[in-house]
Amino acid sequence: YYQPSIDLDTGRITGAEALTRWENRQYGLLFPNSFIPVLEKNRMISKLDLLIFEQVCGMLKERIAQSLPLITISCNFSRYSFEDQILPEKLLKICSEYQVPAQLLEIEITESVLEENEEQILKVIARLKQYGFLIALDDFGTGYASLRNLETYMIDHLKLDRSVIMDIGNKKTDVVLKGIIDLAHSLHTKVVCEGIESEKMLETLKDMGCDIGQGHYFYQPLP
């Protein structure tokens, strides 16, 4: 499934995030919280990460062949995937096989990944950037990362977790949000706000200078 991201200045779709759903014959459509923990526990989540990435490349290849409009697609990768030192080469190989430019793909890193071997992660991210992939820091504000990471990890997009904006309208919350957005912009990083659910939230975030929005106010995840 894909959840579109919206440019808050133009109102146009600027990208989409690839999300995992499991269409189970017995139980119907299952959401990630019902199967991702099992895959993580058994250290099989990396296989799913690569499978979704390959399916995204297949979709982009079809659109290129049909001369259809193209947007950047974000793919989530677990901390276990980043333990693989040749992850960038694996992704580049898949792109080459499907003849899809790396510039059309964004690799999303969750904050929890930053807890791991920092030196190795920096090397992996540097090679991903070298090959042309975009990098997004996902779930910002849930506990691990700091604004220092924006510069250290060469982040293109900072994705604020929905929990960060739920209290928007509160004076202190708004001051903190505006400060994060301004600091990100000073480091040439665009800010994505997840979980936008109302026009009021949208207008407040636009006034703060947020670049991109995602949430049910615009689109739910779509097949």
Side-chain angles (χ1 to χ4, degrees):
Y1 277 57
Y2 296 89
Q3 186 167 24
S5 300
I6 306 300
D7 184 308
L8 297 190
D9 282 335
T10 66
R12 295 181 178 179
I13 294 175
T14 186
E17 180 181 359
L19 300 169
T20 305
R21 301 289 185 267
W22 181 6
E23 294 183 4
N24 185 286
R25 292 181 180 179
Q26 182 176 357
Y27 299 108
L29 187 66
L30 300 179
F31 289 84
N33 59 357
S34 65
F35 59 88
I36 292 294
V38 179
L39 295 177
E40 288 181 335
K41 182 179 179 180
N42 291 279
R43 300 181 72 86
M44 296 176 64
I45 190 67
S46 298
K47 294 183 179 181
L48 178 62
D49 290 346
L50 290 174
L51 174 64
I52 296 301
F53 184 83
E54 187 165 357
Q55 289 184 349
V56 167
C57 286
M59 181 274 292
L60 288 171
K61 180 180 180 180
E62 290 181 7
R63 294 187 68 83
I64 291 170
Q66 297 175 45
S67 299
L68 294 171
L70 300 170
I71 55 174
T72 302
I73 305 295
S74 300
C75 297
N76 294 282
F77 284 83
S78 70
R79 64 182 183 274
Y80 297 112
S81 290
F82 275 87
E83 290 177 358
D84 185 354
Q85 296 187 29
I86 62 170
L87 174 66
E89 287 69 34
K90 287 182 177 180
L91 301 187
L92 187 64
K93 181 180 178 182
I94 293 172
C95 284
S96 298
E97 289 174 351
Y98 284 89
Q99 298 180 313
V100 172
Q103 290 80 4
L104 288 175
L105 293 149
E106 181 169 66
I107 310 304
E108 291 203 12
I109 307 167
T110 60
E111 280 196 341
S112 59
V113 171
L114 305 183
E115 282 191 299
E116 309 301 326
N117 187 328
E118 184 176 49
E119 184 178 351
Q120 176 178 317
I121 292 170
L122 280 171
K123 289 179 180 178
V124 171
I125 292 176
R127 293 207 309 283
L128 287 168
K129 294 283 289 183
Q130 177 187 342
Y131 296 149
F133 295 104
L134 297 173
I135 304 294
L137 179 58
D138 195 17
D139 298 339
F140 187 84
T142 55
Y144 297 106
S146 69
L147 289 166
R148 178 187 66 83
N149 297 122
L150 300 186
E151 185 173 15
T152 305
Y153 288 86
M154 300 171 285
I155 303 298
D156 295 290
H157 289 117
L158 176 68
K159 300 190 73 173
L160 300 183
D161 187 73
R162 65 179 63 245
S163 63
V164 178
I165 70 167
M166 282 299 101
D167 198 26
I168 200 166
N170 176 288
K171 188 175 181 179
K172 290 184 178 180
T173 299
D174 291 357
V175 169
V176 172
L177 278 173
K178 184 68 166 67
I180 292 173
I181 291 169
D182 288 346
L183 280 167
H185 287 167
S186 72
L187 295 171
H188 309 290
T189 300
K190 290 189 174 182
V191 178
V192 183
C193 282
E194 301 179 299
I196 298 178
E197 297 179 355
S198 69
E199 186 171 358
K200 184 177 180 180
M201 292 177 72
L202 169 62
E203 293 303 322
T204 303
L205 290 168
K206 285 175 67 175
D207 289 342
M208 290 180 180
C210 180
D211 303 288
I212 298 168
Q214 194 177 33
H216 291 179
Y217 177 77
F218 302 112
Y219 295 98
Q220 296 192 34
L222 307 167

